[in-house]
Each structure stands twice: as structure tokens, then as C-alpha cells.
Amino acid sequence: MTHEEKQRLIACCKKQIAQFEHCLEFFYVGEKGLAEFIVDVRSELQIQRIALAALEAEPLRYLNKFSDVCVSLEQQPNASEDESVYQPLFTFAAPVALAAPVKIPDFRIYCGSNVKYRVAKDMIAYAIREAGHEVERYD
């Protein structure tokens, strides 16, 4: 992807984000029939934000495709320009820590029995803990 193509995509993402944010200002969840629409708009907004972050990300290092050596721009100043030799390497942001423990709501009426409810709640708590978050103690 050329620099110009990348800049056009960045501009497109920014425009889409602005349009989705503007759209959300005029609707509220209380209106019947709009809840699903708002969820869709929020999902699209999040997708555009992720795409924009990916496009604007700067590589941490560059991998030489032939020698498998990682270098920084300080070590190899032309690494960002020579795509035939160097592949840019990026990192992911660390997961965001939640300020308070996650409280699992009571959804017993949807389970049909206390046993199913208990198993489901334990599975949900396990998944939350595996994601690195604390779960509020429950009975």
C-alpha cells in the first residue's frame, strides 16, 4: 500500500467515524425499533476506530525477510522504505483493566433450573477471570 493510499484510507475512516458519531447524537435507545439500529451504528463506529488505529500505528521494529533479524529504525534507517527486504512489526495494546470487579447479573429465569444457572454463571465467571478481570463474589 502506498503512502497516498494509506492517507486516503485514514481520511475515509475519520469521515466514517464523524458520520457515525453524528448519527448517534440524534437517536436514543428509548425509541422503539431504534435499539437494533443503534447497536449496529455503535458496532460500525468501533470497527472504524479499530481500522483507523491500525492504519495510524507505527511499527516497533522491522524484520529482515532474508536473515530473520529484527532491527529498529535507529539500527537500520532505511528499513521503513525498503519493503522488499523489511517487514514492519507491530504490537497490540495491553488489555484495559477494569476499575471495579465485574458483577454477573441474575439471569436465573432464562435457565430453567438452578443447576443450569449455577453452571452457566460459573462458566461466565471463569471466562471473565481468564480475560484478566476480577469477578465480584457471588452465591
Side-chain angles (χ1 to χ4, degrees):
M1 174 184 324
T2 67
H3 179 72
E4 291 79 22
E5 290 170 331
K6 184 175 179 180
Q7 292 307 312
R8 278 196 298 271
L9 284 173
I10 289 172
C12 181
C13 283
K14 287 181 178 179
K15 181 180 175 184
Q16 288 289 320
I17 289 170
Q19 288 173 343
F20 288 133
E21 287 174 341
H22 180 72
C23 184
L24 286 174
E25 289 176 15
F26 291 100
F27 295 103
Y28 60 95
V29 180
E31 287 189 42
K32 293 200 184 274
L34 288 180
E36 188 174 318
F37 169 75
I38 290 172
V39 168
D40 290 344
V41 170
R42 285 186 178 147
S43 295
E44 286 299 321
L45 178 59
Q46 190 63 24
I47 289 168
Q48 290 298 323
R49 286 181 177 152
I50 291 168
L52 179 60
L55 287 167
E56 291 182 332
E58 293 294 326
L60 292 179
R61 293 191 168 266
Y62 294 85
L63 176 67
N64 184 307
K65 296 176 186 178
F66 304 105
S67 66
D68 286 338
V69 173
C70 271
V71 295
S72 66
L73 283 178
E74 291 79 28
Q75 296 167 319
Q76 188 68 38
N78 71 330
S80 63
E81 300 161 7
D82 194 354
E83 293 179 9
S84 63
V85 176
Y86 295 98
Q87 176 181 348
L89 301 175
F90 299 89
T91 187
F92 294 102
V96 177
L98 299 177
V102 176
K103 182 176 189 320
I104 301 172
D106 188 341
F107 54 93
R108 214 168 296 198
I109 60 171
Y110 302 107
C111 294
S113 76
N114 280 339
V115 173
K116 287 181 186 176
Y117 168 72
R118 193 72 188 158
V119 169
K121 199 162 189 176
D122 287 344
M123 289 171 53
I124 293 168
Y126 176 79
I128 292 169
R129 286 188 190 104
E130 283 295 304
H133 304 293
E134 188 179 344
V135 177
E136 188 175 291
R137 187 167 171 83
Y138 60 90
D139 301 334

